Amino acid sequence: MKIDILTIFPEFFREVFDFGIIRRAKLAKIVEINIHDLRDFTTDKHRMVDDRPFGGGDGMVLNAQPIFDAIESLTGTCERANYPKGTKIILLSPQGRVFNQSVAREFADEANHLVLICGRYEGVDERVNDALVTDEISIGDYVLSGGESAAIVLVDAITRLLPHALGSETSAANDSFSDGLLDCPHYTRPADFRGMRVPEVLLNGNHAEIEKWRKEKALEKTQKIRKDLLKGANRQQSTVISQHKTDN
Ligand code: 9D3
């Protein structure tokens, strides 16, 4: 998977991909991540990346020109119909489809080249959307200062789904959300920390009982704070939940 990030703040990404699973995936050549300064694709002498909105209003709008030139340089074309197979041009914007684990899996499975365009200011010239973008994505209903932090979220969630990105100690299949439930609580030594005891069931070595306890706790937690996950809209595997009786 090749991931190119277009931004006016390349420094923002300086070290963020140099840790943990992403770092290991880079070293193993499972993913290649390149950061591009939109200013490097400007053609005017002042290297302008934005301008005032037609029709008036506050804020600035990212110019189409540097983004078109960057996409042409990265994919060979600036016509959506002509991108090589497996190419997705993703605009991070508050107007996008909301990112979740299913969308992450879709990108990890279907793409081998992602270009992430980080929006800023009041927005991006709509002709970028019209001619270039294959997917417009938001990471949730809150206001960010720009698409940069959203791009980091996508890179993390997608990279760890790529084949062989996770070591044997971790498994994507065991992750929270892969079975549609939140994770159960975890404990490690000491068994008594400042008088707070680890649940007895985890200490007795009965693995069937431990498994049952973990399922119950996961379901309890999900029921309490994320009832929406039990309602099926975000469900990726119906099997686990349908074994439980729930009251919603
Ligand atoms: C005045 C209306 N605002 C849109 C809801 C303006 C606006 C707010 C924030 C325009 C751009 C931004 C910057 N945010 C992003 O570029 C962004 C974002 C976000 O704010 N929330 C969740 N996901 C994303 S992805 C990109």
Side-chain angles (χ1 to χ4, degrees), residues 91-95 118-123 137-148 150:
L91 176 64
L92 285 321
S93 109
Q95 284 73 45
C118 302
R120 273 270 155 182
Y121 305 106
E122 290 310 295
I137 297 289
S138 159
I139 61 165
D141 295 338
Y142 35 80
V143 180
L144 300 173
S145 310
E148 282 77 9

Coordinates of all heavy atoms in Angstrom, one line a residue, residues 91-95 118-123 137-148 150, ligand 1:
L91 N -10.6 13.0 0.1 CA -10.6 14.3 0.7 C -11.1 14.2 2.1 O -12.2 13.8 2.4 CB -11.5 15.2 -0.1 CG -11.7 16.7 0.4 CD1 -10.4 17.4 0.4 CD2 -12.8 17.4 -0.3
L92 N -10.3 14.7 3.1 CA -10.7 14.7 4.5 C -11.5 16.0 4.7 O -10.9 17.1 4.5 CB -9.5 14.7 5.4 CG -8.8 13.4 5.7 CD1 -9.7 12.2 5.8 CD2 -7.7 13.1 4.6
S93 N -12.7 15.9 5.0 CA -13.5 17.1 5.2 C -14.7 16.8 6.1 O -15.2 15.7 6.3 CB -14.0 17.6 3.8 OG -15.4 17.4 3.7
P94 N -15.2 17.9 6.8 CA -16.4 17.7 7.7 C -17.6 17.2 7.0 O -18.6 16.7 7.6 CB -16.6 19.0 8.4 CG -15.4 19.8 8.1 CD -14.8 19.3 6.8
Q95 N -17.7 17.4 5.7 CA -18.8 17.0 4.9 C -18.8 15.5 4.4 O -19.7 15.1 3.8 CB -19.0 17.9 3.6 CG -19.5 19.3 3.9 CD -18.4 20.1 4.6 OE1 -17.3 20.2 4.2 NE2 -18.8 20.9 5.6
C118 N -5.6 16.9 2.7 CA -6.0 17.5 4.0 C -6.6 18.9 3.7 O -5.9 19.8 3.3 CB -4.8 17.6 4.9 SG -4.0 16.0 5.2
G119 N -7.9 19.0 4.0 CA -8.5 20.3 3.9 C -8.1 21.2 5.0 O -7.6 20.8 6.1
R120 N -8.3 22.5 4.8 CA -8.0 23.5 5.9 C -8.9 24.7 5.7 O -9.7 24.7 4.7 CB -6.6 24.0 5.7 CG -5.5 23.2 6.4 CD -5.3 23.7 7.8 NE -4.8 22.6 8.7 CZ -4.6 22.8 10.0 NH1 -4.8 24.0 10.6 NH2 -4.2 21.8 10.7
Y121 N -8.8 25.7 6.5 CA -9.5 26.9 6.4 C -11.0 26.6 6.2 O -11.6 25.8 6.9 CB -9.1 27.7 5.1 CG -7.6 28.0 5.2 CD1 -6.7 27.3 4.3 CD2 -7.0 28.9 6.0 CE1 -5.4 27.5 4.3 CE2 -5.7 29.2 6.0 CZ -4.9 28.5 5.2 OH -3.5 28.7 5.2
E122 N -11.7 27.4 5.4 CA -13.2 27.2 5.2 C -13.5 26.1 4.3 O -14.6 25.6 4.1 CB -13.9 28.5 4.8 CG -13.9 29.5 6.0 CD -14.4 28.9 7.3 OE1 -15.6 28.5 7.3 OE2 -13.6 28.8 8.3
G123 N -12.4 25.6 3.6 CA -12.7 24.5 2.7 C -11.7 24.4 1.5 O -10.7 25.0 1.5
I137 N -14.3 12.0 3.2 CA -14.3 11.3 4.5 C -14.2 12.3 5.7 O -13.3 13.1 5.7 CB -13.2 10.2 4.6 CG1 -13.4 9.1 3.6 CG2 -13.1 9.6 6.0 CD1 -14.5 8.2 3.8
S138 N -15.1 12.1 6.7 CA -15.0 12.8 8.0 C -14.6 11.8 9.0 O -15.0 10.6 8.8 CB -16.3 13.4 8.3 OG -16.5 13.7 9.7
I139 N -14.0 12.1 10.1 CA -13.7 11.1 11.1 C -14.7 11.2 12.3 O -14.6 10.5 13.3 CB -12.3 11.1 11.6 CG1 -11.9 12.5 12.3 CG2 -11.3 10.7 10.5 CD1 -10.6 12.4 13.1
G140 N -15.7 12.2 12.2 CA -16.7 12.2 13.3 C -17.2 13.6 13.4 O -16.7 14.6 12.8
D141 N -18.3 13.7 14.2 CA -19.0 15.0 14.4 C -18.4 15.9 15.4 O -19.0 16.0 16.5 CB -20.5 14.7 14.6 CG -21.1 14.0 13.4 OD1 -20.6 14.1 12.3 OD2 -22.1 13.3 13.6
Y142 N -17.3 16.4 15.1 CA -16.6 17.4 16.0 C -15.8 18.3 15.0 O -15.4 17.8 13.9 CB -15.8 16.8 17.1 CG -15.1 15.5 16.7 CD1 -13.9 15.6 15.9 CD2 -15.7 14.3 16.9 CE1 -13.3 14.4 15.4 CE2 -15.1 13.1 16.5 CZ -13.9 13.2 15.8 OH -13.3 12.0 15.3
V143 N -15.4 19.5 15.5 CA -14.7 20.4 14.6 C -13.2 20.3 14.8 O -12.7 20.6 15.9 CB -15.2 21.9 14.7 CG1 -14.4 22.8 13.8 CG2 -16.7 22.0 14.5
L144 N -12.5 20.0 13.8 CA -11.0 20.0 13.8 C -10.5 21.3 13.1 O -11.3 22.0 12.5 CB -10.5 18.8 13.1 CG -10.9 17.4 13.6 CD1 -10.4 16.3 12.7 CD2 -10.4 17.2 15.0
S145 N -9.2 21.5 13.2 CA -8.6 22.7 12.6 C -8.3 22.4 11.1 O -8.0 23.3 10.4 CB -7.4 23.1 13.3 OG -7.6 23.2 14.7
G146 N -8.3 21.1 10.8 CA -7.9 20.8 9.4 C -7.9 19.3 9.3 O -8.2 18.5 10.2
G147 N -7.7 18.8 8.1 CA -7.7 17.3 7.8 C -6.5 16.6 8.3 O -6.5 15.3 8.2
E148 N -5.5 17.3 8.8 CA -4.2 16.6 9.1 C -4.4 15.5 10.2 O -3.9 14.4 10.0 CB -3.1 17.6 9.5 CG -2.5 18.3 8.4 CD -3.3 19.5 7.8 OE1 -4.4 19.8 8.4 OE2 -2.9 20.0 6.7
A150 N -7.1 14.0 11.0 CA -7.9 13.0 10.4 C -7.1 12.0 9.5 O -7.3 10.8 9.6 CB -9.1 13.6 9.6
Ligands
9D3_1 C1 -18.4 26.6 9.2 C2 -18.6 25.3 8.9 N1 -17.5 24.4 9.2 C3 -17.8 23.0 8.6 C4 -18.5 22.1 9.6 C5 -16.2 24.9 8.7 C6 -15.1 24.0 8.8 C7 -14.7 23.5 10.1 C8 -13.6 22.7 10.2 C9 -14.3 23.7 7.7 C10 -13.1 23.0 7.9 C11 -12.8 22.5 9.1 C12 -11.6 21.7 9.2 N2 -11.9 20.2 9.4 C13 -11.5 19.3 8.6 O1 -10.9 19.6 7.6 C14 -11.8 17.9 8.8 C15 -12.7 17.3 9.8 C16 -13.4 17.8 10.9 O2 -13.4 19.0 11.2 N3 -14.1 16.9 11.7 C17 -14.1 15.6 11.4 N4 -13.5 15.1 10.4 C18 -12.7 15.9 9.6 S1 -11.9 15.5 8.3 C19 -11.4 17.0 7.9

